[in-house]
């Protein structure tokens, strides 16, 4: 997963977004909670259903973003 934020991705300009990968029960598998313009997650997963959350980084942030997902069969 790759999240590209339009803005700096920092709390100072209110574009801090976080990305979470969750299982079907809503449990967090892994997360990217940095303050960068580009955040990535990579994980080897079993076939199934997964949920991706893009959330406010905690400071009332709003930003445009692009989310890219790449799946590579093993």
């Amino acid at each position: 997963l790759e999240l590209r934020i339009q803005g700096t991705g920092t709390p100072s300009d209110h574009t801090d977004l976080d990305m979470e990968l969750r299982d079907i029960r809503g449990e967090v598998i892994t997360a990217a909670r940095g303050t960068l313009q580009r955040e990535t997650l990579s994980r080897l997963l079993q076939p199934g259903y997964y949920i991706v959350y893009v959330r406010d980084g905690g400071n009332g942030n709003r930003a445009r973003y692009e989310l890219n997902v790449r799946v590579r069969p093993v």
Side-chain angles (χ1 to χ4, degrees), residues 56-71:
D56 168 18
N59 298 311
N61 302 302
R62 288 176 34 163
R64 291 179 181 262
Y65 62 89
E66 180 180 316
L67 179 65
N68 294 301
V69 179
R70 278 181 271 169
V71 179

Side-chain angles (χ1 to χ4, degrees), residues 4-10 13-16 36-38 63-64:
R4 290 185 184 192
I5 300 167
Q6 293 179 9
T8 63
T10 62
D13 75 350
H14 299 286
T15 59
D16 179 19
L36 301 173
Q37 187 176 30
R38 179 179 172 266
R64 291 179 181 262

Side-chain angles (χ1 to χ4, degrees), residues 1 43 45-47 50 68-74:
L1 301 168
R43 192 67 148 201
L45 299 167
Q46 296 296 320
Y50 297 93
N68 294 301
V69 179
R70 278 181 271 169
V71 179
R72 289 184 239 165
V74 178

Side-chain angles (χ1 to χ4, degrees), residues 16-28:
D16 179 19
L17 300 178
D18 295 338
M19 179 172 47
E20 298 175 351
L21 176 64
R22 295 176 177 240
D23 64 18
I24 198 67
R25 295 177 310 277
E27 300 294 323
V28 176

